[in-house]
Amino acid sequence: MTRDEATQLVQSYMRAQGEHLSPGLNPNGLGGVAVGEAQLYFEHSSDTGALKCSALIYRFRDAPRPGVLDGFRDEQKAGTDAGGGTVDFEPESKSLFLSRSYPTAPIDLVFASEMSKLMAASLVWGHDVFERVASKVIPAK
């Protein structure tokens, strides 16, 4: 999808969330919105044309302990509902997301529904799944 298509898709979604003045994506192809407790980020790749949508699970203060990321990936492999996304760790921001990419622009209503599922799953992953992974990886004192 083109940058303009991605921008229009994100703008439409933002308007539906009550963000009527949002540019959708900035000149670098980035955007974001908070919906309730959920945080959603958008990134358009000019190389591939894909729009990456990422719902925040957790932002680490330091690099995650060994085994933590593998624990989240194991949860995904075990079939824990990820709202249509996949586990995605961004080292530069030390943030863990559920992400999905769109090579072509979906219908606005479909996109909104899929973003709702992605954000709802990210909240569950940020609470229940995080506690489950931490209890397996971080030894009790």
Side-chain angles (χ1 to χ4, degrees), residues 1 21-22 25 29 33 37 44-45 55-56 59 62 65 67 90 93 100 107 110 131 140:
M1 97 178 66
L21 300 178
S22 172
L25 300 175
V33 65
E37 292 181 36
H44 179 261
S45 170
L56 182 68
R59 186 168 283 120
D62 300 307
R65 291 181 182 209
E90 296 287 338
S93 66
R100 65 182 300 166
I107 298 168
V110 169
E131 287 181 23

Side-chain angles (χ1 to χ4, degrees), residues 81-84 98 100 111-122:
D81 180 13
L98 290 176
R100 65 182 300 166
F111 184 71
S113 173
E114 291 175 346
M115 291 303 97
S116 292
K117 291 175 187 173
L118 190 66
M119 287 187 296
S122 75

Side-chain angles (χ1 to χ4, degrees), residues 94-113:
K94 299 184 194 106
S95 298
L96 186 64
F97 299 95
L98 290 176
S99 297
R100 65 182 300 166
S101 290
Y102 293 88
T104 60
I107 298 168
D108 290 352
L109 193 58
V110 169
F111 184 71
S113 173

Side-chain angles (χ1 to χ4, degrees), residues 7 10 19 30 34 37 39 51 56-57 59 61 65 68 73 80 93 103 108 110 115 128 130 132:
T7 298
V10 174
E19 298 288 332
L30 305 172
E37 292 181 36
Q39 294 178 40
L51 177 66
L56 182 68
I57 297 172
R59 186 168 283 120
R61 280 186 287 237
R65 291 181 182 209
V68 169
R73 290 183 186 110
T80 302
S93 66
D108 290 352
V110 169
M115 291 303 97
D128 301 342
F130 186 87
R132 199 163 51 239

